[in-house]
Amino acid sequence: MNAPDIRVEKGHAEPEEVAAITAILLARAAAHSAAPTATHRGRVKAGWRRLERENGFRAPHSWR
């Protein structure tokens, strides 16, 4: 199993050109995997509510 990892489908690429595109792809992959992850995501739902989306009446003894 001696198949290369990158194959030129059309045209003729010199070894330097294949090395350049390999370096670019590896750099992009490393930058994507090293992206900082958010440790604090914040709220999923807004802390406020829009009154036009609420029901018309809420009983004074309700929990909502």
Side-chain angles (χ1 to χ4, degrees), residues 7-52:
R7 180 178 64 188
V8 178
E9 291 288 327
K10 188 174 182 180
H12 302 285
E14 298 296 322
E16 294 85 11
E17 294 171 322
V18 174
I21 193 68
T22 303
I24 291 170
L25 292 174
L26 288 173
R28 286 190 57 139
H32 181 67
S33 65
T37 57
T39 56
H40 185 273
R41 296 184 63 193
R43 293 184 181 182
V44 177
K45 187 176 175 183
W48 48 270
R49 60 179 185 242
R50 296 181 65 173
L51 296 178
E52 65 266 16

